[in-house]
Amino acid sequence: MDGVPPWLIAAFRKRIDVLGQRMRMHPRHSTAWKEVSELFEQLKETFSEEQHRQFVEWEDRFSFQESIEKEEMYVRGFLDGFHMYASLDELIRQIPVDERFGNANPPQ
C-alpha cells in the first residue's frame, strides 16, 4: 500500500493473524468452521482428481485475494480512524479551553 511504512504493514499482518486464530477458536465461529469443513469433505467426494485440483487451486487464489483485500481494508480503516482523531484534535484545539466542554469540567 502506497505511503504506509513496511513496519506498520507487518504489525497489522501480525494483528490480523492473531485475531483470525482467536476467531476460529471461538465457539461462535468454530461450529461454523466445522460445518464448512464437513460440507467441503462431502463436496470433495464428488470431484474427480482433476476437478479437485482445479477447485483447490481456485480456492487458494480466491482466499489469497480476499485476504489481501481484507488486510487493506483493515489498514485503511485504521488510517481513516487516525486521520479522524487528528482532525478532531485539531478542531478541539481551536476552541478556547474554558469553552471546550460547555459548563462541565473537562474529562480527566
Side-chain angles (χ1 to χ4, degrees):
M1 276 176 275
D2 296 336
V4 181
W7 63 266
L8 186 58
I9 297 293
F12 282 129
R13 284 185 179 148
K14 179 70 175 170
R15 179 66 176 149
I16 290 168
D17 289 345
V18 168
L19 289 173
Q21 290 172 354
R22 287 183 187 166
M23 289 177 79
R24 280 190 174 233
M25 292 190 304
H26 192 282
R28 177 179 45 180
H29 300 289
S30 63
T31 302
W33 279 113
K34 183 179 177 189
E35 290 172 2
V36 166
S37 180
E38 290 170 358
L39 287 170
F40 178 70
E41 288 303 316
Q42 291 172 10
L43 180 63
K44 196 165 70 170
E45 291 174 9
T46 67
F47 287 158
S48 69
E49 283 187 39
E50 178 62 19
Q51 288 171 323
H52 181 257
R53 186 194 62 73
Q54 287 177 333
F55 180 79
V56 169
E57 184 179 342
W58 169 83
E59 199 276 334
D60 284 346
R61 289 182 184 189
F62 176 84
S63 294
F64 182 72
Q65 181 60 35
E66 188 174 50
S67 67
I68 288 172
E69 290 174 9
K70 285 182 180 181
E71 178 182 287
E72 187 169 335
M73 284 190 286
Y74 185 90
V75 171
R76 292 192 184 281
F78 173 83
L79 294 174
D80 287 348
F82 179 78
H83 288 295
M84 181 180 290
Y85 171 80
S87 295
L88 289 173
D89 188 55
E90 185 178 320
L91 287 172
I92 286 173
R93 290 177 189 272
Q94 294 176 12
I95 301 171
V97 174
D98 59 334
E99 295 178 18
R100 287 185 188 173
F101 303 100
N103 293 332
N105 293 327
Q108 301 297 322

